[in-house]
């Protein structure tokens, strides 16, 4: 028995359905995820995780054997192949976005760590660098250049600064010690927040 177009279709139809279901499930899971609450370092971790999920899939889809099968599926125009093609386009789009965001946010990681671990004066010194770096990312990045991306990042930074002040100015213990030290701590926090 020779291999016919009908045989190819019978073999490829279940693949189209299986791949479509798998890709849809992965995309649904990834698009439903939201970054963990907290400071700006969580934004870096969110994009790293998304990239680590989509990158192997992206590379798998670009293997020559898979590309050959996909071309054959598109050529014979199997039922559901347009949905599969659309899902693959989305995987490529989201992978590219995650890769780009990881690259740009990685340049801020050191600053974000300083925001979470630094003293008030260290944080005060790093804030202008953070703002300038975010501005540059906003200008250069193809994906991190909208209010939908930058505003939540700025909110995370504000949360981090607020948590740092609350950690440093503990009302329960602040005035139990030296009054001059308490004034200094409050003054440092005020200066940091005003800058």
């Amino acid at each position: 028995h020779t291999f016919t177009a009908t045989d190819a279709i019978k073999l490829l139809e279940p693949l189209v359905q299986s791949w479509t279901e798998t890709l849809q499930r992965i995309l649904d899971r990834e698009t439903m995820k939201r970054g963990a609450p907290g400071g700006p370092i969580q934004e870096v971790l969110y994009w790293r995780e998304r990239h680590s999920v989509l990158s192997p899939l992206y590379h798998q889809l670009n293997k020559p054997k898979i590309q050959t099968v996909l071309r054959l599926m598109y050529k014979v125009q199997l039922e559901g192949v347009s949905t599969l093609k659309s899902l693959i386009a989305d995987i490529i789009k989201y992978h590219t976005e995650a890769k780009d965001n990881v690259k740009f946010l990685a340049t801020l990681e050191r600053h974000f760590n300083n925001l979470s671990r630094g003293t008030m004066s260290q944080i005060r010194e790093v804030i202008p660098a953070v703002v300038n770096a975010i501005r540059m990312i906003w200008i250069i990045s193809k994906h991190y250049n909208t209010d939908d991306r930058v505003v939540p990042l700025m909110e995370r930074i504000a949360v981090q600064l607020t948590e740092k002040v609350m950690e440093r100015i503990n009302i329960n213990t602040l005035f139990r010690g030296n009054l001059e030290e308490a004034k200094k701590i409050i003054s440092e926090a005020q200066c940091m927040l005003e800058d």
Side-chain angles (χ1 to χ4, degrees), residues 11 21 29-30 65 79 89 94 108 121 135-136 140 144 171 183 193:
L11 284 172
E21 289 170 4
R29 188 178 64 229
E30 284 305 306
K65 288 180 182 178
E79 185 178 332
Y94 289 130
L108 290 168
S121 59
R135 183 176 176 274
M136 288 305 296
I140 296 170
Y144 224 90
I171 300 300
K183 285 180 183 180
L193 291 172

Side-chain angles (χ1 to χ4, degrees), residues 154-192:
M154 297 301 281
E155 288 172 352
R156 286 180 178 278
I157 291 169
V159 165
Q160 184 73 63
L161 295 176
T162 302
E163 288 174 357
K164 196 65 175 177
V165 169
M166 288 172 47
E167 174 187 305
R168 187 73 173 117
I169 300 179
N170 184 337
I171 300 300
N172 296 326
T173 60
L174 185 65
F175 295 110
R176 291 187 184 155
N178 180 329
L179 184 58
E180 290 305 313
E181 181 64 24
K183 285 180 183 180
K184 181 182 175 203
I185 292 169
I186 292 170
S187 178
E188 285 177 350
Q190 181 181 4
C191 289
M192 189 261 306

Side-chain angles (χ1 to χ4, degrees), residues 113-176:
N113 285 327
N114 287 336
L115 290 177
S116 71
R117 297 185 194 128
T119 64
M120 292 290 176
S121 59
Q122 290 169 330
I123 292 171
R124 186 175 175 206
E125 290 174 17
V126 83
I127 289 174
V130 170
V131 172
N132 284 333
I134 290 172
R135 183 176 176 274
M136 288 305 296
I137 289 170
W138 187 74
I139 292 169
I140 296 170
S141 174
K142 293 176 186 168
H143 305 283
Y144 224 90
N145 60 358
T146 64
D147 287 349
D148 291 343
R149 291 281 184 247
V150 176
V151 169
L153 178 60
M154 297 301 281
E155 288 172 352
R156 286 180 178 278
I157 291 169
V159 165
Q160 184 73 63
L161 295 176
T162 302
E163 288 174 357
K164 196 65 175 177
V165 169
M166 288 172 47
E167 174 187 305
R168 187 73 173 117
I169 300 179
N170 184 337
I171 300 300
N172 296 326
T173 60
L174 185 65
F175 295 110
R176 291 187 184 155

